[in-house]
Amino acid sequence: QVQLVESGGGLVQAGGSLRLSCAASGGTFSGYTRGWFRQAPGKEREFVAAITWNGNNRYADSVKGRFTIARDNAKSTVYLQMNSLKPEDTAVYYCAAYAGTLYGNHLTLKELYDSWGQGTQVTVSS
């Protein structure tokens, strides 16, 4: 059974940085697509970033240039480096995994991801 565990969330001032981690267990993840989504109170869960097994990545326009997704296949871990954080980045951040390769806009569709973590809170104060 696939398990995803996020860590690294917290409280940070606007302009600051955080790095989220998502460790996977219960399978072999080198061929998986890995993604990050977020959900603010009262809003739908939205796409943040994703990375395929071979390193192709995609970002939401709202985070492009500020966030970087990376993966370490040896550790089955994906990271989200978040810089220049804004109050509107405040949300619960979830990592997700798809057992295969997603392409193009499919990378942004939460309905396609097989497994989800429990989420980690990120709060950015103004």
Side-chain angles (χ1 to χ4, degrees):
Q1 183 178 353
V2 173
Q3 284 193 316
L4 305 176
V5 179
E6 301 99 334
S7 60
L11 173 64
V12 65
Q13 288 188 332
S17 298
L18 283 174
R19 189 177 82 153
L20 305 183
S21 300
C22 175
S25 61
T28 303
F29 298 94
S30 57
Y32 277 53
T33 296
R34 307 285 295 273
W36 287 97
F37 292 76
R38 67 187 181 187
Q39 188 166 17
K43 293 190 175 181
E44 293 283 323
R45 190 171 299 188
E46 65 176 6
F47 171 76
V48 176
I51 188 167
T52 62
W53 65 271
N54 57 349
N56 293 322
N57 54 46
R58 175 104 177 219
Y59 297 94
D61 288 343
S62 59
V63 307
K64 205 171 291 183
R66 301 187 297 122
F67 291 11
T68 303
I69 190 170
R71 65 189 294 162
D72 184 336
N73 286 334
K75 296 182 179 180
S76 298
T77 298
V78 64
Y79 305 96
L80 185 68
Q81 178 67 44
M82 305 186 295
N83 298 328
S84 302
L85 283 161
K86 305 175 181 180
E88 51 264 43
D89 294 317
T90 295
V92 177
Y93 283 70
Y94 297 90
C95 72
Y98 172 78
T101 305
L102 294 173
Y103 299 94
N105 288 338
H106 287 174
L107 286 161
T108 72
L109 300 179
K110 58 183 181 292
E111 295 81 4
L112 298 181
Y113 287 80
D114 303 312
S115 304
W116 292 86
Q118 82 288 350
T120 186
Q121 177 71 47
V122 171
T123 303
V124 184
S125 63
S126 56

